[in-house]
Amino acid sequence: MTEHIAIHDRPDGVRLIRLDRPEKKNALTGAMYDAMRDALAEADSSESIGAIVFAGAPGAFSAGNDLADFVAGARKPFTEAPALHFIRQLARTTTPMVAAVDGIAVGIGTTLTLHCDLVYASPAARFRMPFVELGLVPEAASSYLLPRRVGILKATELLLLSQPFDAEEALRLGLVNAIAPSDLLLDHALAQAARLAALPPGAVAATRRLIRGNQAEVEAALEAEAVAFEARLRAPEAQEAFARFLGKSKAS
């Protein structure tokens, strides 16, 4: 594990994966992706873990990729990127997953929740998917999952225009189950996860497969995005966007 990902296995069968890099608003590095991927795989192979909760340090779920770390790693093919390995594991995880979103949820901070079985947000939650602004394409099968949740027109607005949306809009769109006060959010998510963990695991797994539909289509979309992401990553548009962003970060 890494110092920025805290893993806690509770006696009620819930594994808490907490992003703990508050000074960077939980921006994700390759090491953090690797730690989360391992935590998901371990949960699937464990008979004692019945549910997983994703949470961030108070006030921020995740600012998305740490762009400096991501750009440094982009010298290698995207197929070797820790982010892609994590996303593949996320899509294949069979253990029920719950997200507790407080504060900003940018990029993967939003698309991660599309794979969760239950999502809860605080009034401070702010979602955004700025892939196109960075010269990239969506990831984590969001180009497949999001239109099926909110419709093609709304998905186009959220993905092409990088339109931000708050907790109330996420609730209206059916992207979160409920809104809870920030100080009660994690406890609420953990309680719902404990309910999942206490249910007959075979019935949970079978029902989850029925609800989620065609897994092969999700994974095919994920891989198609990965191919397009690799191509865009090498394009001048993305290189210029990264340079602008990193220049602003250094200036600030």
Side-chain angles (χ1 to χ4, degrees):
M1 298 300 173
T2 172
E3 61 179 324
H4 297 307
I5 298 293
I7 309 296
H8 176 56
D9 291 337
R10 295 160 48 93
D12 55 11
V14 174
R15 166 165 283 192
L16 173 61
I17 301 176
R18 185 192 281 276
L19 285 63
D20 191 18
R21 197 186 180 205
E23 72 281 5
K24 293 291 186 179
K25 298 187 186 300
N26 299 324
L28 292 163
T29 64
M32 293 169 73
Y33 277 122
D34 285 341
M36 291 195 296
R37 181 199 66 209
D38 290 345
L40 293 179
E42 289 170 3
D44 273 357
S45 64
S46 172
E47 294 184 359
S48 62
I49 298 173
I52 297 162
V53 172
F54 287 101
F61 187 63
S62 176
N65 281 315
D66 181 309
L67 272 190
D69 181 85
F70 185 77
V71 170
R75 299 185 185 96
K76 297 180 180 179
F78 185 59
T79 52
E80 299 178 20
L84 181 57
H85 294 323
F86 166 71
I87 287 167
R88 284 171 171 159
Q89 178 61 55
L90 179 69
R92 295 169 184 165
T93 295
T94 57
T95 306
M97 295 179 287
V98 179
V101 181
D102 183 30
I104 61 170
V106 177
I108 186 67
T110 293
T111 59
L112 178 157
T113 68
L114 298 175
H115 294 271
C116 291
D117 301 274
L118 298 170
V119 182
Y120 302 100
S122 78
R126 296 294 183 271
F127 301 86
R128 192 163 180 259
M129 295 171 283
F131 303 109
V132 175
E133 286 185 2
L134 290 170
L136 301 172
V137 297
E139 36 80 315
S142 55
S143 63
Y144 174 89
L145 294 170
L146 192 62
R148 283 157 179 75
R149 296 278 190 90
V150 304
I152 290 177
L153 290 178
K154 190 64 180 180
T156 299
E157 178 180 272
L158 299 181
L159 291 173
L160 266 184
L161 298 181
S162 307
Q163 184 71 28
F165 55 103
D166 61 14
E168 290 289 348
E169 177 70 353
L171 183 63
R172 188 186 72 80
L173 291 172
L175 295 175
V176 305
N177 293 85
I179 299 172
S182 294
D183 59 340
L184 301 177
L185 175 66
L186 181 57
D187 285 344
H188 181 72
L190 289 168
Q192 299 309 303
R195 291 180 62 188
L196 290 173
L199 294 169
V204 168
T207 302
R208 193 172 182 268
R209 286 193 296 271
L210 290 168
I211 291 171
R212 294 169 80 85
N214 194 320
Q215 177 69 13
E217 288 186 3
V218 174
E219 294 193 27
L222 190 157
E223 297 303 329
E225 288 174 349
V227 171
F229 198 99
E230 171 74 43
R232 298 311 312 159
L233 192 58
R234 310 301 168 194
E237 290 177 343
Q239 300 301 314
E240 292 167 5
F242 291 158
R244 284 196 303 271
F245 182 89
L246 293 174
K248 288 179 182 178
S249 297
K250 289 177 182 177
S252 61

